[in-house]
Amino acid sequence: MDTYDADGITLERVGEYVWEIPQEGEMNAPARVLASEALLDEISDDMTLEQLKNSTHLPGVTKHAICMPDGHQGYGFPVGGVAGIDAENGCISPGAVGFDINCGVRMMTTNLTYADIEGHEEELVESLFANIPSGLGGGGVVESGVDTVEAILERGMDWALEEGYAVEDDIAHCEDEGRRPDADPGVVSQKAKDRGKNQIGSLGSGNHFLEVQRVTDVFREDVADAYGLTEDQIVVLIHCGSRGLGHQVCTEYTREVEQAHPGLLDQLPDKELAAAPAGSQLADDYYGAMCAAINYAWVNRQLIMHRTREVFERVFDRSWEDMEMDLLYDVAHNIAKKEVHEVGVGPEGRPAGDDAAVDGEERELYVHRKGATRAFPAGHPEVPSAYRDVGQPVIIPGSMGAGSYVLRGGEASLETTFGSTAHGAGRTMSRTQAKNEFWGEDVQDELEEQKVYVKAQSGATVAEEAPGVYKDVDEVVRVSDELGIGDTVARTFPVCNIKG
């Protein structure tokens, strides 16, 4: 098959697992979907392709807008979408970043094996659920005043270190060392800070979770060794973001952008892509507020990890240091970063799509990664020194019944995807549809038969996140590996899971 037709949008196969929507009309660049035919069938089942095509109308889009193998419909821009937008002549779009700013994933390794956990699963899941705040609304490991929130927004993981919630190695193994220096708490509203002050160290709801896992397979032993991963080892995965604070930042700036730049909004096929022109005050303010929310999310995950260490200490009667509960890595999704990449250059020195590119030039871009993971290869200066020889760790959560993966940034990632890959399995079913299709208690019973213990605030939450509502994570990861944007290192499988 050389072309693929989906509701009036035709994609051309331009490479193995690479499908392109050609540039036409008001598009500023082509769009590409990275998927097998099986995944493309699922991706094309909602508005993902239309949203991806619409995103190419944003000023300054370079090379091509991209949809990852786990892509699905989002707000304006698909979840799984990546776009490199010129930071001088382009724009930045809150909707193309997402509401849950820095909704990311971290993995903690241990020296425990599955045999050490067996017999403790129910005690462990009950204790984790009792001690780690989850669900909608307030409640966190730390509930504080606005002064503390502002310190977190400005300093990120440095605040956690100063307050005794982190150690130096935690910072060394976090993307950007857990701090965005461009953060500006002064452009985050009081309402956003008020929403955040009682949620510091909490999972939230929806697809956010904490999961104890065992390593079932190792595919690249040299990389796994550098990451500290071995078969049968127990690891902990934490997935959450910036809670109500990040949501408020996105909501407020989306409305402000719509009102301040109606001319640009009128040029876009979807107002959910509302964007502030690069160099405008609103673009600078949103970037500062987004970076502050990114810092908040890193601290949020750090405090959950701190509490997890305390729970393990009580359950296993050993110190977390003795159990070597160390942070492997923390990766951010739903983020736009200023990064320098090589792009095609069109008339008047402005970056252009592939069909207009006449030469290569390094340009600073706003790299929007919405439901996508940074995946820098070995040797890149922004990869932590501990992993620079093998490449950046990439953590790909799967569903509760299918397991997850650890990858490393692939050699082709910078050229193909602005140094990005997938972020998970990707939904195939809405939350409403999932609750109509599945009964939470039945899902829990079926998982327990596989020795996977789940504790949640409600059965509805479990139904929304049932294994059947997600794509095949094995296929998502296989395509990533085949494309060379994320190389498979290890696979894990759940032992116990807590959800909001």
Side-chain angles (χ1 to χ4, degrees):
M1 182 191 300
D2 293 323
T3 62
Y4 186 98
D5 294 310
D7 293 329
I9 297 177
T10 299
L11 296 92
E12 300 175 357
R13 189 198 297 270
V14 295
E16 190 71 14
Y17 308 119
V18 182
W19 304 84
E20 182 167 287
I21 303 173
Q23 184 177 352
E24 62 181 13
E26 299 301 316
M27 294 170 65
N28 291 313
R32 288 188 173 180
V33 180
L34 309 181
S36 61
E37 289 184 30
L39 289 172
L40 188 56
D41 286 341
E42 294 176 327
I43 289 169
S44 64
D45 201 34
D46 56 25
M47 293 179 63
T48 302
L49 297 180
E50 181 179 345
Q51 289 185 332
L52 182 66
K53 184 177 180 180
N54 288 344
S55 73
T56 65
H57 291 248
L58 288 165
V61 170
T62 68
K63 294 181 72 171
H64 35 256
I66 307 160
C67 178
M68 292 295 158
D70 58 334
H72 62 89
Q73 181 179 328
Y75 179 89
F77 195 44
V79 177
V82 174
I85 301 179
D86 186 67
E88 181 181 355
N89 301 307
C91 61
I92 186 168
S93 171
V97 171
F99 282 90
D100 193 2
I101 297 167
N102 189 3
C103 173
V105 184
R106 66 172 48 195
M107 178 175 281
M108 180 167 46
T109 57
T110 77
N111 61 17
L112 302 175
T113 65
Y114 186 50
D116 296 319
I117 294 287
E118 280 188 298
H120 296 280
E121 296 97 333
E122 292 188 63
E123 178 188 3
L124 186 57
V125 75
E126 292 287 347
S127 186
L128 287 167
F129 189 76
N131 286 279
I132 295 172
S134 62
L136 293 170
V141 173
V142 171
E143 297 183 29
S144 66
V146 171
D147 288 349
T148 297
V149 174
E150 290 182 343
I152 290 169
L153 295 175
E154 181 178 1
R155 302 204 300 277
M157 286 274 284
D158 287 346
W159 174 89
L161 179 65
E162 293 161 10
E163 297 297 321
Y165 297 108
V167 295
E168 291 282 359
D169 276 355
D170 296 336
I171 290 176
H173 295 92
C174 186
E175 186 172 321
D176 295 336
E177 296 186 335
R179 181 181 184 182
R180 293 298 297 165
D182 292 323
D184 183 357
V187 294
V188 176
S189 72
Q190 187 63 46
K191 185 173 182 179
K193 292 171 184 174
D194 287 340
R195 291 188 68 179
K197 67 183 182 182
N198 295 325
Q199 296 183 333
I200 310 164
S202 62
L203 279 175
S205 59
N207 65 342
H208 298 160
F209 64 85
L210 183 151
E211 190 166 85
V212 179
Q213 305 174 330
R214 68 181 188 271
V215 178
T216 56
D217 303 276
V218 169
F219 305 103
R220 286 177 168 84
E221 290 195 7
D222 59 331
V223 184
D225 184 62
Y227 291 173
L229 294 171
T230 58
E231 285 191 18
D232 207 40
Q233 176 187 18
I234 293 297
V235 297
V236 180
L237 200 65
I238 298 168
H239 176 215
C240 60
S242 50
R243 298 298 321 273
L245 183 143
H247 195 284
Q248 192 66 33
V249 167
C250 182
T251 299
E252 291 174 353
Y253 275 96
T254 298
R255 300 289 88 84
E256 287 187 41
V257 168
E258 289 174 354
Q259 294 166 13
H261 299 285
L264 176 53
L265 188 65
D266 289 343
Q267 298 173 27
L268 300 173
D270 185 350
K271 74 172 187 177
E272 292 181 357
L273 289 170
S280 68
Q281 186 63 52
L282 201 47
D284 293 344
D285 286 351
Y286 170 68
Y287 191 73
M290 178 198 64
C291 288
I294 290 168
N295 287 345
Y296 180 97
W298 275 322
V299 171
N300 189 36
R301 291 195 286 278
Q302 180 65 36
L303 265 61
I304 292 171
M305 190 173 84
H306 171 78
R307 181 62 60 86
T308 301
R309 286 167 167 167
E310 293 179 333
V311 168
F312 269 69
E313 285 180 330
R314 288 195 292 271
V315 171
F316 297 101
D317 195 25
R318 296 165 60 186
S319 71
W320 71 261
E321 293 93 344
D322 184 51
M323 290 181 281
E324 297 179 349
M325 300 185 72
D326 300 321
L327 179 60
L328 169 60
Y329 200 59
D330 182 300
V331 294
H333 317 141
N334 293 7
I335 197 168
K337 284 186 178 177
K338 290 180 181 178
E339 297 175 358
V340 175
H341 290 269
E342 186 174 302
V343 300
V345 177
E348 300 177 1
R350 292 175 180 268
D354 285 349
D355 62 344
V358 295
D359 197 0
E361 179 186 347
E362 287 193 340
R363 299 289 291 247
E364 185 174 63
L365 309 176
Y366 288 120
V367 180
H368 294 64
R369 296 186 179 98
K370 182 176 184 177
T373 306
R374 194 181 77 172
F376 285 171
H380 195 287
E382 291 190 40
V383 177
S385 58
Y387 306 133
R388 201 162 295 156
D389 289 344
V390 294
Q392 176 207 306
V394 175
I395 303 159
I396 308 288
S399 71
M400 293 182 290
S404 301
Y405 282 87
V406 178
L407 283 62
R408 59 107 175 252
E411 289 297 322
S413 68
L414 291 173
E415 179 183 354
T416 307
T417 59
F418 301 103
S420 313
T421 190
H423 88 308
R427 297 187 73 90
T428 59
M429 192 180 297
S430 72
R431 298 187 187 283
T432 300
Q433 185 181 356
K435 285 185 284 190
N436 291 332
E437 293 277 342
F438 298 98
W439 187 252
E441 285 75 9
D442 291 343
V443 174
Q444 283 179 285
D445 290 343
E446 290 169 8
L447 289 169
E448 197 163 325
E449 289 176 5
Q450 301 178 56
K451 295 188 176 181
V452 178
Y453 297 84
V454 178
K455 183 83 173 177
Q457 291 285 354
S458 70
T461 300
V462 177
E464 289 176 2
E465 296 300 312
V469 310
Y470 283 94
K471 297 180 177 67
D472 180 357
V473 70
D474 297 339
E475 182 71 354
V476 169
V477 167
R478 185 185 70 82
V479 169
S480 179
D481 189 283
E482 291 282 346
L483 287 168
I485 60 176
D487 305 330
T488 312
V489 176
R491 184 176 183 273
T492 65
F493 194 78
V495 174
C496 60
N497 177 299
I498 67 168
K499 309 184 76 66

